[in-house]
Amino acid sequence: MHSIETNALTLSYGDTIIINELDVKIPKGEITVFIGSNGCGKSTLLRSIARLLKPKEGSVLLEGNAIAKLPTKEVAKQLAILPQGPVAPEGLTVLQLVKQGRYPYQSWLKQWTKEDEAAVTSALEATGMQDFAERPVDSLSGGQRQRAWIAMTLAQKTDIILLDEPTTYLDMTHQIEILDLLFELNERENRTIVMVLHDLNLACRYAHNLVALKDQKIFAQGKPEEVINCSLVQNVFQMNCEVTVDPLFGTPLCIPHGRGRCIVKEVGIVNG
């Protein structure tokens, strides 16, 4: 069963083709991560799936329905997107931000309800942000801000969450914190999560399904342990590397070649 599919999807900015006749299926209830070199179209593909970018040709299907033909509020009830580097208006509190996630459920006839209140409370609790509810978003740390934005997407109560580079500008501790949160949401609530990530090793650790993009197409797709190898990294990223096994998780671990210090040990030389 697939939450999202694209059929012969072609995306462009002006006359420049970014994605060309791409067919991809996003498994339901899994974490899918788009990987690839800068400018390969990862974020463009994610924006098109969220109906933020109109295809030049082809289509995107959401639960079997052409997303272009669905009402905007109906899409927002099925799919939430967190773009890269979102910015909240100055002075907006975490609670006010998270409440915006309930916009798809509001109308002239249906105002704020107990269901809306419960959704907001649940989202704050799930992200550990309940104690920050009255704090301005712009006063928070990078990791806390990202949690606040994720809480807003959770308040939408969608089965599908799209995130464009959710760990950008975060230090290592906060990167793991955010990815652990998303992993737990998938495990606990069976949410379908689709992300763009630059860190290949973190992508391998958290993804059930990787989609590697190159030359406007899918170069490879599948479980990280099935598709990540030295040849793929060289072809997709133009980087020589060694691929071994992550000692903690058993997932592929990419060790790039390059220059650096050499530490001499009794057993030999370990290249840094």
Side-chain angles (χ1 to χ4, degrees), residues 91-101 133-135 137 152:
L92 190 76
T93 68
V94 170
L95 181 59
Q96 290 169 331
L97 175 68
V98 177
K99 282 185 172 182
Q100 291 186 12
E134 301 303 328
R135 289 268 301 273
V137 176
M152 186 194 73

Side-chain angles (χ1 to χ4, degrees), residues 58-214:
S59 62
V60 176
L61 301 181
L62 177 60
E63 300 289 359
N65 300 306
I67 195 171
K69 297 180 180 180
L70 295 175
T72 299
K73 282 196 173 184
E74 185 61 32
V75 173
K77 291 178 182 179
Q78 297 185 58
L79 178 154
I81 182 168
L82 180 59
Q84 185 181 162
V87 179
E90 185 176 354
L92 190 76
T93 68
V94 170
L95 181 59
Q96 290 169 331
L97 175 68
V98 177
K99 282 185 172 182
Q100 291 186 12
R102 300 304 296 169
Y103 167 76
Y105 302 90
Q106 306 300 303
S107 68
W108 288 110
L109 298 177
K110 184 183 178 184
Q111 299 300 311
W112 195 258
T113 66
K114 289 183 178 180
E115 183 181 355
D116 296 319
E117 196 68 36
V120 169
T121 299
S122 175
L124 288 169
E125 290 175 350
T127 53
M129 293 301 292
Q130 59 268 45
D131 292 338
F132 298 87
E134 301 303 328
R135 289 268 301 273
V137 176
D138 52 16
S139 73
L140 303 177
S141 70
Q144 291 166 344
R145 278 198 303 273
Q146 197 70 323
R147 278 181 172 269
W149 283 100
I150 291 173
M152 186 194 73
T153 66
L154 295 186
Q156 281 184 237
K157 288 291 184 180
T158 62
D159 290 331
I160 304 170
I161 302 175
L162 312 179
L163 305 104
D164 191 0
E165 299 183 32
T167 59
T168 298
Y169 307 125
L170 299 183
D171 61 32
M172 186 180 298
T173 298
H174 287 118
Q175 288 182 37
I176 298 300
E177 180 182 279
I178 293 301
L179 292 173
D180 277 354
L181 168 63
L182 295 170
F183 185 81
E184 289 163 7
L185 287 170
N186 169 260
E187 289 277 291
R188 185 174 64 247
E189 301 180 13
N190 203 37
R191 305 279 188 111
T192 300
I193 296 175
V194 186
M195 293 187 283
V196 172
L197 289 179
H198 277 299
D199 190 312
L200 186 56
N201 291 331
L202 290 180
C204 289
R205 178 179 289 191
Y206 288 94
H208 301 103
N209 180 50
L210 286 182
V211 178
L213 299 175
K214 181 189 177 186

